[in-house]
């Protein structure tokens, strides 16, 4: 099949490559012309702007937008909606808020355009491992584009089959699902990222205890001199916490056991926050997912106003002249 | 009555003063001889060491130890136990772990000595407001010492009576209770402090949001320029959150609304941690009390190993070269 | 002054009463005609519908809407906006989401109408204690209505003045503030309620530990038989946790120490959730406020899907045939 | 080599089997004589009591105790310590608190006995997958027993090697480590289980949101009808959350997507709590690990005293007659 791709960064560029490796054609655009040239040299048809991209595709056209969520994606889809024709489809493969998908699908349908949201997991490893995709939109349209999704997905691979699994739809086993109508793909991806935050924080807290166990915060006779790189490595084999995140942890600790290459300031993207909002809309208690997000906030600031107020109260009731009182 | 007092810091000194104001006699000791002289000038009988303190008291002697929990208190009680005679009583007014009380009461009983633990709240304000006391130990002995407790307690004061309250024991209304056997006093005080941590953190988080609402973290058209000193003041009147901690907050913000006098590093004492341990022994979920404690840990460190590991994982799976990557 | 009041429930009815006690006139409406008759008998001018209410007020009219947030308030303000004339003011005294205030103020301004949001704390006690009010809107309009706010507020009362407080604006000390433009009043009230959730949960967890300390979850020799009613009472005097919520706790425990009159299912209103959303917009960590909300969710459901999944995993990796496996 | 094994339950029995499969000899005992007969039929030397077990082993003897932590393990080791001779070694493969290991190693050393603690992960899957082992104790003794550990461990298997890993000690890659002196093995295993709790709770919360998204708690037009079994399955391929716990989740959901076979009451063992205690000793904030534990407490009780107190306060200040008021 043929696919237009807008946005050739870490994700979009490799999506084009994986499709071409599987015999599909791509028409690619990025504001950065170097990215376009590079992919053109690898077999893609590079274009200089959106009209050229639309002109370069056969009807019904399919255009995959792989840009940062928010204004970049929104503006691009807005422009595309004026260039495309009824029957064409826009695919948003980024990390869009699912309520934006629902709105867009409704608005685009009024112009006869189709809209598909694809929550795409795989990061920098997707080219090699394939992309795990959670897809929302019209079922027929998702089926029509199946050759593209099948090519991008990891496939059955060497992962053991789930025992007892009986399903009419074998796409899940090949690494992609049609989750439901527009928005459902990004909703499932959002929850995936929420869980990811929680798992990461669980490892972070555990390794923090392991590391601190050898520090001067404890009297010397209570310390253990633990090898965190070996611990991550051994847990990869036969333990309950074995996981891809643990593999990455073992990688990182093998090269830099003190993690001196990192400052400890951790970013967060929208999905963590949206997951908490979704939970609150549904009255689902999410202490772990929320605290994972808050720990990231906390990692980025110090001497917060709230902390200062705690010290002020302590000073008020107990005259505690603590380190916190200047 | 007559009371020996060991430890004349912020708490012990004022306890002696409040007793003397109420007509009681005190025999006082502190390693810091200045503290002893000061109180002697105010009417106390100052002594130079523990044997002198014991010698200066009539039988059955009562000695109030008001020292930091842990070794200072433990060592002093150990020494006293060798100087005192059957029928004498040791009172620990500090912040001792309640399991230590239980052990001590058992050990001292074998020497014929009595032991009373008094959780004492009131801080630097106790001299004026009186001390709220939670007492553990033998009921008869607590009764025998009642004149001392009655003098130290706030008394009925101007606080409105609790409607529907029917009780044989009016001590609670006068600001002290006999909570149960040895350890029960400090147990109740420990929970008091656990709750205190939670209330303080609730205010800290709320005022943090209020303060940040006017900061550049938000686009300019989403900010409110809120007067936090006025907000604290207005809540003191008729709102659901009115409390002594809010009064202290209003005090602090009246003089220093930006809290520039504080660094934001917050200490914690043993009670917060022991409260969590007690909760876990009883399988009681305490997300708020525990997170209040963890927020204090967090206020004292930055760039933790756990935070660095989060960045390392993000770098591993997504190539996120974030601020956290050096 | 004269004020129209719509909604005569627990809050609205007493607001009318407190205003009348202070010499103001009220024109009142409620769908429940009994509420209207009752207040009419106490001196209010009762009316049968919104047009009659508008007709009964002198220009520039002031109408206080005291209805549940969401559709009831929204619909009423919509109707009022068609009946009122330029220069009139609508006051929303309910628990509206502050972003709705901002939108409404903008929309109403286009019709020449003014809009004021009043976060009102005081509950069933407001008639007697006065209402603590956090007001958003145009400063001049708030000043024009000052006689009404001054009458509703608690006033200086017997509460000790905050030391060091220097302020041009003495309204905060009398129990009301002009917090900022439209929305600022409800924003501050929202944070107030967020803090309230945290303080309540801190007490809930603490008393849960106290109560469980005497239960069979512990071996008999580790139990204390604590009197929770006495503990709440004693903390009211001189302790750090003394607060109005503690007064209410003491009230409740005096009559029903086992709290047998309550099932343990706890409702939550919008403010708790909106507080968390505001915190996340500003990247403020709020582990205590959020966990207070989640504890309420948790109190209302059992056997959640998440809990079942935990059991399923445990069964999967360890063959744990636990109580959770049917 | 030869190994005595005490405790032939889910873990101990399969440990014996895996050793025998690898050519080692076992002398086995369990209070349940059936377990002994079964293993004897498979090639083990079954014995009827501890003296017989000791008598059946060549010096220096090695005895693996695989019993529930606490009294069963403690009593057995106490008895063994009286039967064994200098140079013999006791191995505790259970889930013992690491501070008990430190004490035991010290006490046994005085009798010339050696002590090794082995944190053993693998559950019911260990026979097939091998056991991931974290070992504490004297380095030479751990080396002497290496043939046993090597046989029990998973080995290199088909798991990809960690890139950049350079290590003198290849045991971690084969699934076992010598973590440090006595106690270090169980300390690392304890943290492993703490992390496990956090990861499980992250999945539980995420799937709870997914499931609730299709429930009547939301207005019909906001629901998605999500297939949770397919979602678990798809995440197994190429997603960031792929892990063994996710594999188990997919297994469970494949057979019972509504998890009707589980009540939702979740047990916890000591490690979760000990992990929090260790964190508090080291002032490490662990909001995720602690809330995972508290969620389990919460899953087992409803209508807690704390929840009732929340309702009582709400009733007190607002007259809220909620579902929680009987």
């Amino acid at each position: 099949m043929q696919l237009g791709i807008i946005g050739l960064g870490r994700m979009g560029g490799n999506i084009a490559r994986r499709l071409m490796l599987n015999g599909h054609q791509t028409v690619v655009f990025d504001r950065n012309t170097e990215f376009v040239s590079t992919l053109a040299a690898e077999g893609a048809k590079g274009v200089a702007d959106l009209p050229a991209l639309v002109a370069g595709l056969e009807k019904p056209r399919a255009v995959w937008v792989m840009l940062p969520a928010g204004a970049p994606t929104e503006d691009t889809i807005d422009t595309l909606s004026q260039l495309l024709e009824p029957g064409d489809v826009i695919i948003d493969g980024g990390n869009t808020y699912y309520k934006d998908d629902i709105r867009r699908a409704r608005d685009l349908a009024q112009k006869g355009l189709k809209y598909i949201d694809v929550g795409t997991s795989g990061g920098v490893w997707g080219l090699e491992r394939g992309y795990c995709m959670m897809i929302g939109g019209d079922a027929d349209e998702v089926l029509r584009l199946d050759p593209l999704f099948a090519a991008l997905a990891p496939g059955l691979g060497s992962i053991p089959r789930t025992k007892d699994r009986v399903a009419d739809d074998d796409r899940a086993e090949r690494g992609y699902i049609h989750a439901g109508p527009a928005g459902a793909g990004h909703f499932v991806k959002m929850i995936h990222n929420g869980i990811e935050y929680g798992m990461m924080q669980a490892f972070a807290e555990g390794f923090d205890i392991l590391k601190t166990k050898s520090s001067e915060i404890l009297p010397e006779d209570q310390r253990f001199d633990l090898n965190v790189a070996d611990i991550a490595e051994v847990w990869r084999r036969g333990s309950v916490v074995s996981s891809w995140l643990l593999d990455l942890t073992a990688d990182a600790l093998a090269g830099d056991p003190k993690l001196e290459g990192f400052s400890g300031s951790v970013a967060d993207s929208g999905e963590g926050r949206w997951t908490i909002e979704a939970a609150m809309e549904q009255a689902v208690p999410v202490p772990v997912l929320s605290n994972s997000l808050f720990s990231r906030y906390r990692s980025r600031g110090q001497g917060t106003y709230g902390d200062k107020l705690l010290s002020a109260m302590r000073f008020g009731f107990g005259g505690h002249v603590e380190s916190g009182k200047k």
Side-chain angles (χ1 to χ4, degrees), chain A:
Chain A
M1 286 185 86
Q2 199 193 34
L3 182 69
I5 301 178
I6 299 169
L8 306 174
R10 272 195 306 265
M11 295 285 284
N14 283 344
I15 282 173
R17 284 183 186 94
R18 190 165 169 103
L19 285 173
M20 293 190 290
L21 284 172
N22 283 273
H24 298 288
Q25 299 168 18
T26 61
V27 183
V28 301
F29 170 69
D30 194 291
R31 286 193 312 182
N32 184 326
T33 55
E34 263 187 72
F35 288 5
V36 177
S37 320
T38 305
L39 270 169
E42 298 179 37
K45 176 172 176 183
V47 295
D49 54 24
L50 295 191
L53 183 125
V54 170
L57 290 165
E58 290 156 30
K59 297 192 219 174
R61 303 175 186 87
V63 183
W64 184 297
V65 181
M66 198 74 222
L67 294 170
T73 296
E74 193 74 28
D75 293 348
T76 300
I77 289 176
D78 196 47
T79 303
L80 278 177
S81 74
Q82 295 163 37
L83 299 169
L84 294 172
E85 293 171 282
D88 291 348
V89 60
I90 297 172
I91 303 162
D92 180 357
N95 279 325
T96 289
Y97 186 40
Y98 77 98
K99 292 187 179 180
D100 288 331
D101 293 316
I102 295 172
R103 170 180 50 77
R104 282 183 200 155
R106 197 179 48 225
D107 292 351
L108 292 172
Q110 293 181 338
K111 301 185 176 184
L113 298 175
K114 295 177 188 297
Y115 180 81
I116 286 178
D117 53 290
V118 181
T120 315
S121 187
V124 291
W125 299 76
L127 176 56
E128 177 190 336
R129 301 203 326 166
Y131 297 92
C132 175
M133 286 168 292
M134 296 136 262
I135 307 169
D138 180 67
D140 291 339
E141 191 65 16
V142 173
L143 270 184
R144 193 177 72 79
L145 300 171
D146 191 71
L148 299 174
F149 296 129
L152 288 173
L156 266 176
S158 62
I159 294 172
R161 307 289 283 267
T162 295
K163 73 176 158 61
D164 300 334
R165 181 171 166 82
V166 181
D168 295 332
D169 189 342
D170 74 338
R171 289 179 289 185
E173 284 195 306
R174 289 185 285 119
Y176 62 113
I177 55 168
H178 176 231
H186 279 140
F187 185 88
V188 174
K189 174 58 160 50
M190 173 186 82
I191 302 300
H192 166 276
N193 284 32
I195 293 171
E196 171 193 313
Y197 276 44
M199 292 172 72
M200 287 174 72
Q201 182 64 21
F203 278 118
E205 294 179 7
F207 276 92
D208 208 351
I209 305 173
L210 291 172
K211 191 68 188 172
T212 313
K213 183 66 180 172
S214 64
S215 77
E216 70 292 344
I217 209 168
L218 288 174
E220 198 162 357
D221 64 353
Q222 292 179 23
R223 297 180 206 160
F224 286 133
D225 184 26
L226 301 170
N227 183 325
V228 288
D230 274 6
I231 291 170
E233 185 64 34
V234 79
W235 287 348
R236 296 181 66 223
R237 288 179 169 77
S239 96
V240 174
V241 302
S242 55
S243 55
W244 191 48
L245 285 166
L246 179 64
D247 294 347
L248 296 175
T249 297
D251 273 354
L253 295 177
D256 179 9
K258 293 187 178 171
L259 297 174
E260 293 174 325
F262 297 90
S263 71
S265 170
V266 190
D268 71 280
S269 55
E271 289 92 348
R273 170 182 155 192
W274 299 330
T275 298
I276 311 308
E277 290 182 350
M280 293 196 295
E281 287 181 9
Q282 305 171 200
V284 174
V286 285
V288 159
L289 304 192
S290 57
N291 275 298
S292 301
L293 180 63
F294 300 152
S295 287
R296 293 190 178 195
Y297 294 165
R298 200 73 209 226
S299 79
R300 303 196 303 257
Q302 194 66 341
T304 68
Y305 194 74
D307 291 340
K308 291 177 183 178
L309 184 59
L310 290 181
S311 287
M313 283 189 270
R314 279 171 56 85
F315 184 69
F317 67 71
H320 297 284
V321 183
E322 52 188 347
S323 55
K325 182 83 171 71
K326 286 182 186 169

